[in-house]
Amino acid sequence: MIDQIIGAVGIRETDHIVEIGPGQGALTGGLMRQAKHFDAVEVDRDLANGLMRLYGKNEKFTLHETDALRFDFASIGGEQQLRVVGNLPYNISTPLIFHLLSFSNHIRDMHFMLQREVVDRLVAKPGSKQYGRLSVMAQHNCIVHKLFEVPPEAFVPRPKVMSAIVRLAPKPDMQIGPLEQQLAVVARDAFGQRRKTLRNALRAHISAGQLEALGISPDNRAEQLSVDDFVRISTSLMAQ
């Protein structure tokens, strides 16, 4: 499974890899062996010490003992775009992805192992129960692909959930700005109470008449809108 994950990343010898939360280094050696530069971001001091014992003498290896949610990814890599890899815990996966998207100009792609339900939300299409704010924001900013699933028996100890590998590649020239900030608010409020129609869920932002002028029925619910529909609403609000 480790070989399959590393193969899916498709590392080239010129790549600068950043591994988030390498832990005991199950992937680290294989990722670093194929890359030109390697940075690890690990918040746990004991695990960081173990990584330094294993890889500290390798000139490719740089360890950042800090929280990835607060790490400035623009501070490494220089002109070269980063390739980010990580096995992300459920409780930080969504905020960390949003944090990384704020550095999209510095990142070529991201490969994450996540709980399968999070990956299913990232790739979900309109009309599905999994489709929500995370789907809209991720798909607006990135090309998103679910690659394959990782069964519980691949881990020790064995978890109670399925995991999956996802690739997120920031779209060319994408950068977090006012539109993305507005889009995040619209998506948050639209999906805040999924059973509400847009007429009610977004009444603080836009009128039913304005929605109709955009070609969007105010009687629709959030899950019926495409990513482009959300972008049209957000663009319209910015123009007011």
Side-chain angles (χ1 to χ4, degrees), residues 67-153:
D67 185 348
L69 284 167
R70 296 182 176 87
F71 185 64
D72 179 8
F73 288 88
S75 67
I76 57 177
E79 296 296 319
Q80 185 177 13
Q81 287 189 307
L82 307 172
R83 306 195 66 202
V84 183
V85 182
N87 178 11
L88 306 186
Y90 180 83
N91 62 319
I92 70 160
S93 57
T94 298
L96 182 54
I97 288 170
F98 283 128
H99 178 62
L100 284 161
L101 286 175
S102 68
F103 299 98
S104 59
N105 287 344
H106 303 275
I107 295 174
R108 192 174 103 203
D109 57 19
M110 299 173 277
H111 289 79
F112 294 132
M113 183 187 298
L114 302 164
Q115 283 194 19
R116 182 175 61 183
E117 65 181 85
V118 178
V119 173
D120 288 343
R121 286 165 54 202
L122 284 165
V123 302
K125 300 302 180 186
S128 68
K129 291 182 179 179
Q130 292 80 17
Y131 185 66
R133 173 175 176 256
L134 183 59
S135 320
V136 171
M137 297 304 298
Q139 294 171 34
H140 169 65
N141 293 306
C142 300
I143 305 298
V144 188
H145 293 291
K146 180 179 180 179
L147 300 183
F148 54 89
E149 296 183 353
V150 183
E153 53 266 27

Side-chain angles (χ1 to χ4, degrees), residues 26-38:
L27 289 173
T28 305
L31 291 169
M32 184 165 52
R33 183 167 56 250
Q34 301 183 45
K36 183 176 182 179
H37 301 289
F38 187 93

Side-chain angles (χ1 to χ4, degrees), residues 11-18 35-39 60 62 64 76-78 80-84 108:
I11 302 169
R12 298 178 298 199
E13 61 182 12
T14 56
D15 284 344
H16 188 155
I17 301 294
V18 180
K36 183 176 182 179
H37 301 289
F38 187 93
D39 286 72
K60 295 182 182 181
T62 302
H64 307 272
I76 57 177
Q80 185 177 13
Q81 287 189 307
L82 307 172
R83 306 195 66 202
V84 183
R108 192 174 103 203

Side-chain angles (χ1 to χ4, degrees), residues 133-219:
R133 173 175 176 256
L134 183 59
S135 320
V136 171
M137 297 304 298
Q139 294 171 34
H140 169 65
N141 293 306
C142 300
I143 305 298
V144 188
H145 293 291
K146 180 179 180 179
L147 300 183
F148 54 89
E149 296 183 353
V150 183
E153 53 266 27
F155 300 91
V156 178
R158 180 173 175 166
K160 297 180 180 179
V161 297
M162 285 287 291
S163 300
I165 304 295
V166 65
R167 176 190 293 126
L168 299 99
K171 294 178 179 177
D173 302 321
M174 195 284 291
Q175 55 184 331
I176 298 294
L179 173 59
E180 285 68 33
Q181 294 166 8
Q182 181 69 70
L183 180 63
V185 172
V186 170
R188 179 199 66 199
D189 291 353
F191 286 104
Q193 298 184 58
R194 296 178 71 98
R195 298 188 66 179
K196 281 190 174 182
T197 63
L198 298 174
R199 181 194 309 274
N200 294 319
L202 295 179
R203 63 170 44 184
H205 303 290
I206 192 168
S207 69
Q210 289 172 310
L211 286 169
E212 290 173 341
L214 295 172
I216 299 169
S217 171
D219 295 320

